Every structure is written in C-alpha cells, then in structure tokens.
Amino acid sequence: MKGLIFLLLLFSGLIMPNERFKNTNEEAEEKSFRDFLKWTFTNKKPELVAIDSSDEWKELDSGSTDYMVWIGHATYLINKDNLTILTDPVFSKRASPVRFAGPKRLIPPAIPIDKLPPIDVVTVSHNHYDHLDIRSLKKIYKANPEAIFLVPMGDRRRLERKGIKNVKEFLWWDDIEIKGSKFTFTPVQHWSARGIADRNKSLWGGWFMQFPNRTIYHAGDTGYSEDFIETRKRLGPPDLSLIPIGAYAPQWFMSYSHVNPEEAVQISQDLGSKQSLAMHWGTFPLTDEEVLEPPVLLKKALEEKNLDEEYFITLKPGEIFNLSPQEP
Ligand code: ZN
Ligand code: ZN
C-alpha cells in the first residue's frame, strides 16, 4: 500500500497545464491515470536479488587519476584531467521523497558516501528520486563546499533551499567550462516530477563532458529518440557513453521514457560512441523486468548486431574502469 501511495504521488502530476517542458519531438510523456492504475494492478514483482559487486575501488587512493567507477544505478564516479565528477549521486536507501516507503535499493552504494574522494563537479540529469537525491546532494555539498552542481533548468532552487551553493541551471545545449573541460546539457526523451503538481516543470537531459583528451557522455534517463543523432552532429561522437539498460518493462507503459537494452545499443550507435557502459539497472526495483535480465538482453542485442562484447560492457559496481590517456 505504501508503494502504491508513493507511485500515485509520482505519476499524478497530470493535471495542471502551463509552463511545462516538452521533448524535442514537441510531445510530453502523457500516460493516463487509467494506464497508471492498469500497470499498478497488473505489474509483476521481480525477484529481489543482489547483483555481484567488487571491492576493487578500495585500491584507489588520493594519488589515483584517470578512472571511473559505477557506484550503482545512474551514479558514476569519474576522475579525469584534474576533475572528480559524480553523476546523479544517489546514496540513500530508497529512491523516494520519504524514508519509510518507495523503491528500496537491492545493493548498497559500491562506495559509501563518506569514502568518496574530494568532488569538484556534480551533474544531475533530472529530478526523479532515483537521480536527484537531495539527502545525498546535501552531504556531498557539506564535504565539498567548493563543488559545482550542474542541474536541469527548474531544479536550482530545490538545491538552494537546502543550503547548497554553486548550483547552475541548464537548458539543452547550454554549456559551462570548468578547469579546461566542457560540460554540455543535451536533450533526451523523458519527463520530470517530484510531487503532484510539478510534472515537466523542470527539464531532463544528458551530460556531454569534453575533457582535453577524452569525451564521456552520460545519457541520464531516456526513451529511444532522434536526440542522439543530433547530439553527435553538434558535439561529435563520444569516446565513452554511459547508457541506461533497465526499467523498460512493461514496454507498453515504459517505452516512451526508458530504453530496453536493444535500444540502448542503438543509442550507442547513433552517438557513434567508441564504447559504452551500462547503468540504470540492478540497483532499484522500479519496473517489472527481472533484476538480472538487462545485461542478458544486452549481450543478445550485441550478438544480433554482430558487435563485439567489448563494445557495450556492464561493469560490476565498485570495479575500476581505466581512463588513462588512449594510445594514439
Ligand atoms: Zn526518470
Ligand atoms: Zn531513472
């Protein structure tokens, strides 16, 4: 019942028009309340299993550079060219406005929040609770008062109200340069809401990070769209893309705003990405697919497209991915 109330909160911002953001196809994700109820009463409960994680991150020390670690869900820790970045930091037990209800994490964050290195930049893709966790953001700000928080248009005040400073808001294609690296906010197909009356009042998107010697793209949360072809046109093909592969079932309800693994591979190809890494699975049971299914379907999609397994990989939470300068 608590879960139902939570989901009601999340999906009920269907009422008020005016000043809402839309996707680049001029549409807004509109599911009727009937659709929502249909999903609520027909949904399957996936078996709650924990995915394998790794302790490798413990080898990192204050001198470590050029690495990336998947902490879980859409949270990546990235160190590149004198910057340490956290994407969509969520360290709370639940992806929810309240502590007592809402999707509870299946695995702890691979790196506890108090074991993180000093953070320079935090990127937020949109304001859903599994991406914008105000408790985590506050803790990160407390430990890193100089950190810069990059958020979608419409979310700045949400952070500032909690005392967080250095918050910058972005529309699509806005960018900022930080210590010689450029961060651009890019369109994806999704929506936003925290409560009952704020549906699509703030924006959603991906973050394209151009470091002096490498480009990394974090797709946030998205359905399949033309946006990735446009992103490649404007910003060039990324070296590495972090793309969601989970939260796609049932397709009739989820496909507008969440890709399945096959579509994730297509996004990687649309971007012209040299390599991609999976995210947004195995952490919070948000939807109907089995927890362990996304990487299985990812492998299948790669086989069907005759692509190498290495083209799109699934890291274990906590595993170190090397970002050392590439061979010429
Ligand atoms: Zn979302
Ligand atoms: Zn999400």
Side-chain angles (χ1 to χ4, degrees):
M1 193 60 197
K2 280 175 189 166
L4 178 63
I5 292 167
F6 166 78
L7 287 165
L8 259 169
L9 261 173
L10 209 66
F11 282 91
S12 58
L14 300 163
I15 327 144
M16 319 202 311
N18 85 34
E19 289 200 285
R20 313 252 165 193
F21 290 104
K22 287 178 182 166
N23 285 303
T24 51
N25 60 6
E26 290 301 308
E27 288 174 13
E29 150 70 318
E30 294 289 358
K31 286 282 177 286
S32 69
F33 192 59
R34 239 179 102 183
D35 284 340
F36 168 68
L37 286 180
K38 183 179 153 196
W39 177 50
T40 309
F41 291 110
T42 58
N43 71 346
K44 292 180 250 148
K45 294 263 180 286
E47 194 192 338
L48 302 182
V49 291
I51 63 171
D52 279 349
S53 57
S54 160
D55 269 350
E56 207 179 12
W57 64 273
K58 290 182 178 165
E59 293 166 19
L60 297 169
D61 58 35
S62 57
S64 304
T65 58
D66 300 304
Y67 63 83
M68 192 157 73
V69 177
W70 183 40
I71 292 180
H73 210 54
T75 312
Y76 267 93
L77 172 68
I78 303 169
N79 177 285
K80 188 75 193 134
D81 294 308
N82 300 318
L83 282 179
T84 306
I85 299 142
L86 259 185
T87 66
D88 287 353
V90 177
F91 291 81
S92 295
K93 282 212 174 81
R94 294 180 190 269
S96 165
V98 289
R99 284 172 200 258
F100 58 85
K104 196 174 174 185
R105 51 192 316 147
L106 300 168
I107 48 164
I111 306 180
I113 195 162
D114 55 356
K115 295 276 190 302
L116 290 170
I119 302 297
D120 302 298
V121 181
V122 173
T123 62
V124 174
S125 64
H126 65 302
N127 70 11
H128 287 153
Y129 289 93
D130 58 319
H131 298 259
L132 192 161
D133 174 25
I134 207 77
R135 285 193 290 271
S136 297
L137 293 173
K138 268 168 70 181
K139 282 185 193 160
I140 293 158
Y141 170 70
K142 265 195 148 171
N144 306 273
E146 302 297 319
I148 301 173
F149 293 77
L150 311 182
V151 305
M153 186 60 71
D155 286 318
R156 181 170 52 88
R157 288 199 55 228
R158 190 181 310 285
L159 274 64
E160 288 178 345
R161 278 201 298 267
K162 299 290 176 182
I164 300 172
K165 297 199 173 71
N166 313 321
V167 188
K168 309 211 180 291
E169 281 187 323
F170 293 75
L171 288 169
W172 291 331
W173 309 117
D174 284 351
D175 58 43
I176 184 170
E177 202 172 307
I178 303 171
K179 285 196 200 167
S181 295
K182 193 160 106 176
F183 295 75
T184 307
F185 194 49
T186 64
V188 303
Q189 181 170 296
H190 204 62
W191 57 290
S192 71
R194 301 278 285 180
I196 54 169
D198 66 342
R199 193 179 175 90
N200 296 345
K201 287 218 156 192
S202 70
L203 196 52
W204 49 90
W207 285 102
F208 201 99
M209 309 173 219
Q210 292 167 295
F211 304 101
N213 297 306
R214 177 96 59 143
T215 48
I216 300 178
Y217 173 70
H218 184 281
D221 212 354
T222 187
Y224 182 71
S225 71
E226 303 285 307
D227 294 319
F228 310 98
I229 293 169
E230 184 62 21
T231 298
R232 177 193 189 158
K233 266 192 208 152
R234 294 204 192 201
L235 301 171
D239 294 312
L240 208 56
S241 299
L242 314 176
I243 303 177
I245 64 165
Y248 48 80
Q251 289 274 317
W252 68 268
F253 193 70
M254 296 297 169
S255 70
Y256 190 84
S257 48
H258 291 135
V259 287
N260 60 33
E262 195 185 336
E263 292 165 323
V265 174
Q266 190 59 50
I267 288 179
S268 180
Q269 292 185 299
D270 288 356
L271 289 163
S273 191
K274 282 194 194 136
Q275 191 180 26
S276 294
L277 305 186
M279 62 173 185
H280 207 265
W281 75 281
T283 317
F284 293 105
L286 300 170
T287 45
D288 293 2
E289 77 267 11
E290 289 301 324
V291 174
L292 302 176
E293 185 185 78
V296 176
L297 294 189
L298 176 64
K299 227 175 148 185
K300 213 170 130 204
L302 291 171
E303 274 167 21
E304 274 163 15
K305 290 186 179 228
N306 266 324
L307 292 163
D308 197 275
E309 261 184 35
E310 288 295 303
Y311 176 69
F312 199 137
I313 59 173
T314 307
L315 295 180
K316 281 184 190 170
E319 192 179 339
I320 299 171
F321 184 85
N322 187 1
L323 290 176
S324 297
Q326 292 158 305
E327 306 287 318

